[in-house]
Amino acid sequence: MKDFKNLVKLRLTLLVVFSASISFLIAEESREAIHWINWIKLVIGGFLVTSAANGFNEIIEKDLDKLMTRTADRPLPSGRMTNGQALVLSLMMGIFGTYLLGSLNLTTGLLSVFSILFYAFIYTPLKRKSPIAVFVGAIPGALPPLIGYVAAHGKIDHIALILFAIQFVWQFPHFWAIAWVLDDDYKKAGFRLLPTTKRDKVSAGITLLSTIILIPVSLLPTIYGFGGYTIAGVSLIAGILFMYYAFKLYLDLEVKSAQKLMFASFIYLPIVQLVLLFNLT
């Protein structure tokens, strides 16, 4: 079970499922009753699809994971699981997860297939080529709230796109904070994820800029009338605090500051999504 947990990157997968399930409930708020059976299908299907994408990612990066301290003990590079076992598990999870999501509606199923393919076979190999990989990875990374909303609503509208946009922009400071903290380890595998590939002033400045951009994007729910003033206030305060930690990183370029920014990113997104769910008017 420990190896399975590491193969599917359980904490990351649970965060993805959380985003999708919250967006589903946001979409369902306009109905008289929430379709809890469909919500369960989304949670299970989303968990399986995300786990499959992470499994394919680890199969592709097996030899690179051996080089990094953080990943050397994962089941594939450590030899506790074979490529064949991981491939069978990932294929089964991907097929069953896509079936569950597709049973909600066709668009949800297609988006789930797209997210697996884009994450595993475009973003993953690009991580060693160019820092543009963060931008590419932010696309499948922002799909969970879009998928969750479409699973309930059946179509992509302006609300779905705004939920996508918030998570899309949030990922840049999130990814770059992680890349800053793990830069020495990432270099062992040749990963180039910081904007300039270095822990320098320019990388920190671009990270700071992404937190500044996030503030107006997070206000879009209120601007477009499906979020109240509470979510605007919370998003503004959370965004300013998030920006403050990025500014600290810009000032001192220290790994400790990047760690604080990383932890702030973990807190920011769930708070904003939960407040949006409970304060839609």
Side-chain angles (χ1 to χ4, degrees), residues 242-254:
F242 201 14
M243 182 182 67
Y244 166 78
Y245 285 113
F247 183 63
K248 287 279 289 181
L249 175 63
Y250 178 76
L251 289 178
D252 61 29
L253 306 181
E254 295 290 336

Side-chain angles (χ1 to χ4, degrees), residues 5 70 88 118 134 177 181 201 207 218 245 254 260 268:
K5 181 184 74 172
R70 183 179 65 91
V88 170
F118 206 89
V134 174
V181 172
K201 207 75 169 177
T207 302
S218 70
Y245 285 113
E254 295 290 336
K260 291 178 181 178
Y268 174 91

Side-chain angles (χ1 to χ4, degrees), residues 102-225:
S103 70
L104 297 171
N105 57 67
L106 179 60
T107 305
T108 303
L110 291 175
L111 286 172
S112 69
V113 172
F114 174 79
S115 68
I116 293 175
L117 297 178
F118 206 89
Y119 178 81
F121 302 109
I122 296 180
Y123 163 68
T124 295
L126 196 59
K127 287 161 65 178
R128 301 185 75 214
K129 304 292 184 182
S130 167
I132 197 69
V134 174
F135 178 86
V136 173
I139 297 173
L143 283 177
L146 182 65
I147 290 173
Y149 188 90
V150 172
H153 208 267
K155 63 180 181 179
I156 300 175
D157 59 16
H158 71 286
I159 298 177
L161 292 175
I162 289 171
L163 295 173
F164 173 88
I166 292 171
Q167 187 146 326
F168 179 79
V169 177
W170 164 83
Q171 284 182 94
F172 291 96
H174 171 70
F175 273 134
W176 285 328
I178 294 173
W180 193 290
V181 172
L182 299 175
D183 186 54
D184 293 334
D185 216 19
Y186 279 161
K187 283 178 179 175
K188 297 174 184 176
F191 291 154
R192 305 170 64 188
L193 297 178
L194 286 171
T196 65
T197 73
K198 300 175 183 177
R199 289 172 173 155
D200 59 15
K201 207 75 169 177
V202 177
S203 285
I206 294 173
T207 302
L208 172 60
L209 178 61
S210 68
T211 63
I212 295 171
I213 294 172
L214 182 59
I215 292 175
V217 172
S218 70
L219 297 177
L220 290 176
T222 303
I223 293 170
Y224 280 87

Side-chain angles (χ1 to χ4, degrees), residues 44 218 256 271:
I44 296 175
S218 70
K256 284 187 177 181
I271 287 177

Side-chain angles (χ1 to χ4, degrees), residues 28-86:
E28 288 278 274
E29 282 288 329
S30 59
R31 304 175 188 271
E32 292 183 3
I34 294 174
H35 294 82
W36 290 108
I37 297 298
N38 288 349
W39 182 80
I40 291 171
K41 285 184 179 180
L42 172 70
V43 169
I44 296 175
F47 179 87
L48 292 173
V49 164
T50 307
S51 296
N54 288 331
F56 291 133
N57 168 268
E58 291 201 26
I59 293 169
I60 294 169
E61 292 186 345
K62 173 185 174 180
D63 292 335
L64 299 176
D65 282 346
K66 290 180 181 179
L67 304 176
M68 296 185 289
T69 305
R70 183 179 65 91
T71 56
D73 194 46
R74 283 178 175 173
L76 287 173
S78 67
R80 295 192 304 272
M81 184 181 292
T82 66
N83 279 0
Q85 291 170 329

